[in-house]
Amino acid sequence: MGWAEMTLMKVVFITLGLILLFIMAHQLTMYVRPGIFPPKRVVKERIVVAGGAGVCFLCIGILFAILAK
């Protein structure tokens, strides 16, 4: 892989991680509001999935940034 492809991969992984963490934050604000739709159980599942995926993508992007020089 060339330099440009690795740089693009780093940017994509870090950006996806940050977007998913922002989605998780939005879902957290929905979770603490009373009387929301969808039910809190569904929102809690979304928080776990978005947060877990966001952390994974962010860690992978940071590892690429550190190790692929």
Side-chain angles (χ1 to χ4, degrees), residues 14-15 21 23 56 59:
I14 291 174
T15 304
L21 289 176
I23 291 171
C56 287
C59 287

Side-chain angles (χ1 to χ4, degrees), residues 6-42:
M6 286 304 291
T7 302
L8 180 65
M9 229 166 58
K10 291 180 219 177
V11 170
V12 167
F13 274 100
I14 291 174
T15 304
L16 275 174
L18 290 174
I19 288 171
L20 285 167
L21 289 176
F22 281 126
I23 291 171
M24 182 197 70
H26 174 69
Q27 295 292 326
L28 275 171
T29 60
M30 285 180 58
Y31 186 75
V32 296
R33 272 190 244 154
I36 61 164
F37 183 80
K40 286 191 181 273
R41 172 183 53 82
V42 174

Side-chain angles (χ1 to χ4, degrees), residues 50-68:
V55 167
C56 287
F57 275 110
L58 197 59
C59 287
I60 291 170
I62 290 171
L63 280 174
F64 278 150
I66 293 172
L67 299 176

